[in-house]
Amino acid sequence: QVQLQESGPGLVKPSQTLSLTCTVSGGSVTSASYYWTWIRQPAGKGLEWVGRMFMRGSTNYNPSLKSRVTISIDTSKNQFSLNLSSVTAADTAVYYCARLTDFWSANYRMDVWGQGTTVTVSS
Amino acid sequence: QSVLTQPPSASGTPGQRVTISCSGSSSDIGSNTVNWYQHLPGTAPKLLIYNNDQRPSGVPDRFSGSKSGTSASLAISGLQSEDEADYFCAAWDDSQIGLLVFGEGTKLTVL
């Protein structure tokens, strides 16, 4: 059974780069069947799509974050990561990683999620 | 930046049937299938419905989904106390490749 676990600093200073990692267990990030995604939820607000990455290098980012976000995969560690630069208080949120399956069809869905990790941007 | 519109709250008593709506536009729900997720704070969101009305294995048939035009609905019948959670809808937005949009979420209270 595939499990995802987010990790990273819970506190980031304004203007710095937020870096999170999602460790995949019970499966492989090199699978051609999935996209690996990041989603966030600011306190009291709805979910926001951050972006997705395919193991062969294809990425798509939320246009509102595109200039600041990078998602990458480390196959040696079976992990994928999120880097968000020049953060502000508006980037304070719970960040989730998730697996996106059947992405080419009407059956697309995020079928496995991490528990989420809270990141606060504050000096 | 929620694009899909959901009511902020819904409620019902045990055994009742409740529905939660999700309204979008021609570029998202109107063009793509809808997913529904259940979320309890502090836990991983759980997939409830995909492709508008399909249930993953393990999801009780008390949960059902439908879609018409640019709107979708999640229905929960035989409401149980453990159904108290946040529910949110999601769909691709064709205005941007690889952009998934979500609803703001609906907090369901079981009275």
Side-chain angles (χ1 to χ4, degrees), chain B residues 17-83:
Chain B
R17 182 178 187 271
V18 297
T19 61
I20 297 171
S21 62
C22 175
S23 178
S25 68
S26 58
S27 67
D28 40 66
I29 294 178
S31 302
N32 297 288
T33 60
V34 178
N35 292 348
W36 289 92
Y37 298 88
Q38 178 189 60
H39 189 206
L40 290 162
T43 68
K46 175 186 176 183
L47 176 68
L48 280 183
I49 298 287
Y50 67 97
N51 195 357
N52 303 328
D53 57 10
Q54 300 299 301
R55 281 187 310 276
S57 60
V59 173
D61 59 7
R62 302 187 296 105
F63 294 90
S64 62
S66 64
K67 173 188 149 179
S68 178
T70 58
S71 294
S73 292
L74 173 71
I76 308 171
S77 60
L79 199 62
Q80 299 179 3
S81 58
E82 55 261 40
D83 297 333

Coordinates of all heavy atoms in Angstrom, one line a residue, chain B residues 17-83:
Chain B
R17 N -30.7 12.4 4.5 CA -30.0 12.6 3.3 C -29.6 14.0 3.1 O -30.5 14.9 3.2 CB -30.8 12.1 2.1 CG -30.1 12.1 0.7 CD -31.0 11.5 -0.3 NE -30.3 11.4 -1.6 CZ -30.3 12.3 -2.6 NH1 -30.9 13.5 -2.3 NH2 -29.7 12.1 -3.7
V18 N -28.3 14.3 2.8 CA -27.9 15.7 2.6 C -27.2 15.7 1.2 O -26.6 14.7 0.7 CB -27.0 16.2 3.7 CG1 -27.7 16.3 5.0 CG2 -25.7 15.4 3.7
T19 N -27.3 16.9 0.6 CA -26.6 17.1 -0.7 C -25.7 18.3 -0.6 O -26.1 19.3 0.1 CB -27.5 17.2 -1.9 OG1 -28.4 18.4 -1.6 CG2 -28.4 16.0 -2.0
I20 N -24.6 18.3 -1.2 CA -23.6 19.4 -1.3 C -23.4 19.7 -2.7 O -23.1 18.8 -3.5 CB -22.3 19.0 -0.6 CG1 -22.6 18.7 0.9 CG2 -21.3 20.1 -0.8 CD1 -21.3 18.2 1.6
S21 N -23.6 21.0 -3.1 CA -23.4 21.4 -4.5 C -22.1 22.0 -4.8 O -21.3 22.4 -3.9 CB -24.5 22.4 -4.8 OG -24.3 23.6 -4.0
C22 N -21.7 21.9 -6.0 CA -20.4 22.5 -6.5 C -20.7 23.1 -7.9 O -21.0 22.4 -8.8 CB -19.4 21.3 -6.6 SG -17.8 21.8 -7.3
S23 N -20.5 24.4 -8.0 CA -20.8 25.1 -9.2 C -19.5 25.6 -9.8 O -18.7 26.2 -9.2 CB -21.8 26.2 -8.9 OG -22.1 27.0 -10.1
G24 N -19.4 25.5 -11.1 CA -18.2 25.9 -11.8 C -18.6 26.6 -13.1 O -19.6 27.4 -13.2
S25 N -17.8 26.4 -14.1 CA -18.0 27.1 -15.4 C -17.7 26.1 -16.6 O -17.4 24.9 -16.4 CB -17.0 28.3 -15.5 OG -15.7 27.8 -15.6
S26 N -17.9 26.6 -17.8 CA -17.7 25.8 -19.0 C -16.3 25.3 -19.1 O -16.1 24.2 -19.7 CB -18.1 26.6 -20.2 OG -17.3 27.7 -20.3
S27 N -15.3 25.9 -18.5 CA -13.9 25.5 -18.7 C -13.5 24.5 -17.7 O -12.4 23.9 -17.9 CB -13.0 26.7 -18.7 OG -12.9 27.3 -17.4
D28 N -14.3 24.3 -16.6 CA -13.9 23.3 -15.6 C -14.9 22.2 -15.6 O -14.8 21.2 -16.3 CB -13.6 24.0 -14.2 CG -14.6 25.1 -13.9 OD1 -15.7 24.7 -13.7 OD2 -14.1 26.2 -13.8
I29 N -15.9 22.4 -14.7 CA -16.9 21.3 -14.6 C -17.6 21.0 -15.9 O -17.9 19.9 -16.3 CB -17.9 21.6 -13.5 CG1 -17.2 21.6 -12.1 CG2 -19.1 20.6 -13.5 CD1 -18.1 22.0 -10.9
G30 N -17.8 22.1 -16.7 CA -18.5 21.9 -17.9 C -17.8 21.1 -19.0 O -18.4 20.6 -19.9
S31 N -16.4 21.0 -18.8 CA -15.6 20.3 -19.7 C -14.9 19.0 -19.2 O -14.3 18.3 -19.9 CB -14.5 21.2 -20.2 OG -15.1 22.4 -20.8
N32 N -15.0 18.8 -17.9 CA -14.2 17.8 -17.2 C -15.1 17.1 -16.2 O -16.0 17.6 -15.7 CB -12.9 18.3 -16.6 CG -12.0 18.9 -17.7 OD1 -11.4 18.2 -18.5 ND2 -11.9 20.2 -17.7
T33 N -14.6 15.9 -15.8 CA -15.3 15.2 -14.7 C -14.9 15.8 -13.4 O -13.9 16.5 -13.2 CB -14.9 13.7 -14.8 OG1 -13.5 13.5 -14.6 CG2 -15.4 13.1 -16.1
V34 N -15.7 15.4 -12.4 CA -15.5 16.0 -11.0 C -15.2 14.9 -10.0 O -15.7 13.8 -10.0 CB -16.9 16.7 -10.6 CG1 -16.8 17.2 -9.2 CG2 -17.2 17.8 -11.6
N35 N -14.3 15.3 -9.1 CA -13.9 14.5 -8.0 C -14.5 15.1 -6.7 O -14.6 16.3 -6.6 CB -12.4 14.4 -7.8 CG -11.7 13.6 -8.9 OD1 -12.4 12.9 -9.7 ND2 -10.4 13.7 -9.0
W36 N -14.7 14.3 -5.7 CA -15.1 14.7 -4.4 C -14.2 14.1 -3.3 O -13.9 12.9 -3.4 CB -16.5 14.3 -4.1 CG -17.6 15.1 -4.8 CD1 -18.2 14.8 -6.0 CD2 -18.2 16.4 -4.4 NE1 -19.1 15.8 -6.4 CE2 -19.1 16.7 -5.4 CE3 -18.0 17.2 -3.3 CZ2 -19.9 17.9 -5.4 CZ3 -18.8 18.4 -3.2 CH2 -19.7 18.7 -4.2
Y37 N -13.8 14.9 -2.4 CA -12.9 14.4 -1.3 C -13.5 14.7 0.1 O -14.2 15.8 0.2 CB -11.6 15.1 -1.4 CG -10.8 14.7 -2.7 CD1 -11.0 15.5 -3.8 CD2 -10.0 13.6 -2.8 CE1 -10.4 15.2 -5.0 CE2 -9.3 13.3 -3.9 CZ -9.5 14.1 -5.1 OH -8.9 13.8 -6.2
Q38 N -13.3 13.9 1.0 CA -13.7 14.1 2.4 C -12.4 14.4 3.2 O -11.4 13.7 3.0 CB -14.3 12.8 3.0 CG -14.7 12.9 4.4 CD -15.2 11.5 4.9 OE1 -14.4 10.6 4.9 NE2 -16.4 11.4 5.4
H39 N -12.5 15.4 4.1 CA -11.3 15.8 4.8 C -11.6 16.1 6.3 O -12.5 17.0 6.6 CB -10.7 17.1 4.2 CG -9.4 17.5 4.7 ND1 -8.9 18.8 4.7 CD2 -8.4 16.7 5.3 CE1 -7.8 18.8 5.3 NE2 -7.4 17.6 5.6
L40 N -11.0 15.4 7.1 CA -11.0 15.6 8.5 C -9.8 16.4 8.9 O -8.7 16.0 8.5 CB -11.1 14.3 9.3 CG -12.4 13.6 9.2 CD1 -12.3 12.1 9.6 CD2 -13.5 14.3 10.0
P41 N -9.9 17.5 9.6 CA -8.7 18.3 10.0 C -7.6 17.4 10.6 O -7.9 16.6 11.5 CB -9.2 19.3 11.0 CG -10.6 19.5 10.5 CD -11.1 18.1 10.1
G42 N -6.4 17.6 10.1 CA -5.3 16.9 10.7 C -5.0 15.5 10.1 O -4.1 14.8 10.4
T43 N -5.9 15.2 9.1 CA -5.7 13.9 8.4 C -5.6 14.1 6.9 O -5.8 15.2 6.4 CB -6.9 13.0 8.7 OG1 -8.1 13.5 8.0 CG2 -7.2 12.9 10.2
A44 N -5.2 13.0 6.3 CA -5.1 13.1 4.8 C -6.5 13.1 4.2 O -7.4 12.3 4.6 CB -4.3 11.9 4.3
P45 N -6.7 14.0 3.2 CA -8.0 13.9 2.5 C -8.2 12.6 1.9 O -7.3 11.9 1.5 CB -7.8 15.0 1.4 CG -6.8 16.0 2.0 CD -5.9 15.1 2.8
K46 N -9.5 12.2 1.8 CA -9.9 10.9 1.3 C -10.7 11.0 0.0 O -11.7 11.8 0.0 CB -10.6 10.1 2.3 CG -11.2 8.8 1.9 CD -12.1 8.2 3.0 CE -12.7 6.9 2.5 NZ -13.6 6.3 3.5
L47 N -10.4 10.3 -1.0 CA -11.1 10.3 -2.3 C -12.5 9.6 -2.0 O -12.5 8.5 -1.6 CB -10.4 9.6 -3.4 CG -11.1 9.4 -4.7 CD1 -11.3 10.8 -5.4 CD2 -10.3 8.5 -5.6
L48 N -13.6 10.3 -2.3 CA -14.9 9.8 -2.2 C -15.5 9.4 -3.5 O -16.2 8.3 -3.7 CB -15.8 10.8 -1.5 CG -15.8 11.0 0.0 CD1 -16.9 12.0 0.4 CD2 -16.0 9.6 0.7
I49 N -15.4 10.3 -4.5 CA -16.0 10.1 -5.8 C -15.1 10.6 -6.9 O -14.4 11.6 -6.7 CB -17.4 10.9 -5.9 CG1 -18.4 10.5 -4.9 CG2 -17.9 10.9 -7.3 CD1 -19.0 9.2 -5.2
Y50 N -15.0 9.9 -8.0 CA -14.2 10.3 -9.1 C -15.1 10.1 -10.4 O -16.1 9.3 -10.3 CB -12.9 9.6 -9.2 CG -12.9 8.2 -9.5 CD1 -12.8 7.7 -10.8 CD2 -13.1 7.2 -8.5 CE1 -12.8 6.3 -11.1 CE2 -13.2 5.9 -8.7 CZ -13.0 5.4 -10.0 OH -13.1 4.1 -10.3
N51 N -14.7 10.8 -11.5 CA -15.5 10.7 -12.7 C -17.0 10.9 -12.5 O -17.8 10.1 -12.9 CB -15.2 9.3 -13.4 CG -15.7 9.3 -14.8 OD1 -16.2 10.3 -15.3 ND2 -15.5 8.2 -15.5
N52 N -17.2 11.9 -11.7 CA -18.6 12.4 -11.4 C -19.4 11.5 -10.4 O -20.1 12.0 -9.5 CB -19.4 12.5 -12.7 CG -18.8 13.5 -13.7 OD1 -18.1 14.4 -13.3 ND2 -19.0 13.2 -15.0
D53 N -19.3 10.2 -10.7 CA -20.2 9.3 -9.9 C -19.6 8.0 -9.5 O -20.4 7.0 -9.1 CB -21.5 9.1 -10.7 CG -21.3 8.5 -12.0 OD1 -20.2 8.1 -12.4 OD2 -22.3 8.5 -12.8
Q54 N -18.3 7.8 -9.7 CA -17.7 6.5 -9.4 C -17.1 6.5 -8.0 O -16.5 7.5 -7.6 CB -16.6 6.3 -10.4 CG -17.0 6.2 -11.9 CD -18.0 5.1 -12.1 OE1 -17.7 4.0 -11.9 NE2 -19.2 5.5 -12.5
R55 N -17.4 5.4 -7.3 CA -16.8 5.3 -5.9 C -15.6 4.4 -5.9 O -15.7 3.3 -6.5 CB -17.9 4.7 -5.0 CG -18.9 5.6 -4.5 CD -19.8 4.9 -3.5 NE -20.3 3.7 -3.9 CZ -21.4 3.5 -4.7 NH1 -22.1 4.6 -5.0 NH2 -21.8 2.3 -5.1
P56 N -14.5 4.8 -5.3 CA -13.4 3.9 -5.1 C -13.8 2.7 -4.2 O -14.8 2.8 -3.4 CB -12.3 4.7 -4.4 CG -12.8 6.1 -4.6 CD -14.3 6.1 -4.7
S57 N -13.1 1.6 -4.3 CA -13.5 0.5 -3.4 C -13.3 0.9 -2.0 O -12.3 1.7 -1.6 CB -12.5 -0.7 -3.7 OG -11.2 -0.3 -3.5
G58 N -14.2 0.5 -1.2 CA -14.1 0.8 0.3 C -15.0 2.0 0.6 O -15.2 2.3 1.8
V59 N -15.4 2.8 -0.3 CA -16.3 3.9 0.0 C -17.8 3.4 0.0 O -18.2 2.8 -1.0 CB -16.2 5.1 -1.0 CG1 -17.2 6.2 -0.8 CG2 -14.8 5.7 -1.0
P60 N -18.5 3.6 1.1 CA -19.9 3.1 1.2 C -20.8 3.7 0.1 O -20.6 4.8 -0.4 CB -20.3 3.6 2.6 CG -19.1 3.9 3.3 CD -18.1 4.3 2.3
D61 N -21.8 2.9 -0.3 CA -22.7 3.4 -1.4 C -23.6 4.4 -0.8 O -24.5 4.9 -1.6 CB -23.4 2.2 -2.0 CG -24.2 1.4 -1.0 OD1 -24.3 1.8 0.2 OD2 -24.8 0.3 -1.4
R62 N -23.5 4.8 0.4 CA -24.3 6.0 0.9 C -23.8 7.3 0.3 O -24.6 8.3 0.3 CB -24.1 6.1 2.4 CG -24.5 4.9 3.3 CD -24.4 5.2 4.8 NE -23.0 5.5 5.2 CZ -22.6 6.7 5.6 NH1 -23.5 7.8 5.4 NH2 -21.4 6.9 6.0
F63 N -22.6 7.2 -0.3 CA -22.1 8.4 -0.9 C -22.3 8.3 -2.5 O -22.0 7.2 -3.0 CB -20.6 8.5 -0.7 CG -20.2 8.8 0.8 CD1 -20.0 7.8 1.7 CD2 -20.2 10.1 1.2 CE1 -19.7 8.0 3.0 CE2 -19.9 10.4 2.6 CZ -19.6 9.3 3.4
S64 N -22.9 9.3 -3.1 CA -23.1 9.3 -4.5 C -22.8 10.6 -5.1 O -23.0 11.7 -4.4 CB -24.5 8.8 -4.8 OG -25.5 9.7 -4.3
G65 N -22.5 10.6 -6.3 CA -22.2 11.9 -7.0 C -22.9 12.0 -8.3 O -23.3 11.0 -8.9
S66 N -23.1 13.2 -8.8 CA -23.8 13.5 -10.0 C -23.3 14.8 -10.6 O -22.7 15.6 -9.9 CB -25.3 13.5 -9.9 OG -25.7 14.6 -9.1
K67 N -23.5 14.9 -11.9 CA -23.0 16.2 -12.6 C -24.0 16.5 -13.7 O -24.6 15.6 -14.4 CB -21.6 16.0 -13.2 CG -21.2 17.1 -14.0 CD -19.9 16.8 -14.8 CE -19.8 17.5 -16.1 NZ -18.6 17.3 -16.8
S68 N -24.3 17.8 -13.8 CA -25.1 18.3 -14.9 C -24.6 19.6 -15.3 O -24.6 20.6 -14.5 CB -26.6 18.4 -14.4 OG -27.4 18.9 -15.4
G69 N -24.2 19.7 -16.6 CA -23.7 21.0 -17.1 C -22.5 21.5 -16.4 O -21.5 20.8 -16.3
T70 N -22.6 22.6 -15.7 CA -21.5 23.2 -15.0 C -21.6 23.0 -13.5 O -20.9 23.7 -12.8 CB -21.3 24.7 -15.4 OG1 -22.5 25.4 -15.0 CG2 -21.0 24.9 -16.9
S71 N -22.4 22.1 -13.1 CA -22.6 21.9 -11.6 C -22.5 20.4 -11.3 O -22.8 19.6 -12.2 CB -24.0 22.4 -11.2 OG -24.0 23.8 -11.3
A72 N -22.1 20.2 -10.1 CA -22.0 18.8 -9.6 C -22.6 18.7 -8.2 O -22.7 19.8 -7.5 CB -20.6 18.3 -9.6
S73 N -23.0 17.5 -7.8 CA -23.5 17.4 -6.4 C -23.0 16.1 -5.8 O -22.7 15.1 -6.4 CB -25.0 17.3 -6.4 OG -25.6 18.5 -6.8
L74 N -22.8 16.2 -4.5 CA -22.5 15.0 -3.7 C -23.6 14.8 -2.7 O -24.1 15.7 -2.1 CB -21.2 15.3 -2.8 CG -20.8 14.2 -1.8 CD1 -20.3 12.9 -2.5 CD2 -19.8 14.7 -0.8
A75 N -24.1 13.5 -2.7 CA -25.2 13.2 -1.8 C -24.8 12.2 -0.8 O -24.0 11.2 -1.2 CB -26.4 12.6 -2.6
I76 N -25.2 12.4 0.4 CA -24.9 11.4 1.5 C -26.2 11.0 2.1 O -26.9 11.8 2.6 CB -24.0 12.0 2.5 CG1 -22.7 12.7 1.9 CG2 -23.5 11.0 3.6 CD1 -21.9 13.5 2.9
S77 N -26.5 9.7 1.9 CA -27.7 9.2 2.5 C -27.4 8.4 3.8 O -26.3 8.0 4.0 CB -28.5 8.3 1.5 OG -27.6 7.2 1.2
G78 N -28.5 8.2 4.6 CA -28.2 7.5 5.9 C -27.1 8.2 6.7 O -26.2 7.5 7.2
L79 N -27.2 9.5 6.9 CA -26.2 10.2 7.5 C -25.7 9.6 8.8 O -26.6 9.2 9.6 CB -26.7 11.7 7.7 CG -25.6 12.8 8.0 CD1 -24.7 12.9 6.8 CD2 -26.3 14.1 8.2
Q80 N -24.4 9.6 9.0 CA -23.9 9.0 10.3 C -23.0 10.1 10.9 O -22.4 11.0 10.2 CB -23.1 7.8 10.0 CG -23.9 6.6 9.4 CD -23.1 5.4 9.1 OE1 -21.9 5.3 9.4 NE2 -23.8 4.4 8.5
S81 N -22.8 9.9 12.2 CA -21.9 10.9 12.9 C -20.5 11.0 12.4 O -19.9 12.1 12.3 CB -21.9 10.6 14.4 OG -21.4 9.3 14.6
E82 N -20.0 9.9 11.9 CA -18.7 9.9 11.4 C -18.5 10.6 10.0 O -17.4 10.8 9.5 CB -18.1 8.5 11.3 CG -18.9 7.5 10.5 CD -19.8 6.7 11.3 OE1 -20.3 7.2 12.3 OE2 -19.9 5.5 11.0
D83 N -19.7 11.0 9.5 CA -19.6 11.7 8.2 C -19.3 13.2 8.4 O -19.1 14.0 7.5 CB -21.0 11.6 7.5 CG -21.3 10.2 7.1 OD1 -20.4 9.4 6.9 OD2 -22.5 9.9 7.0

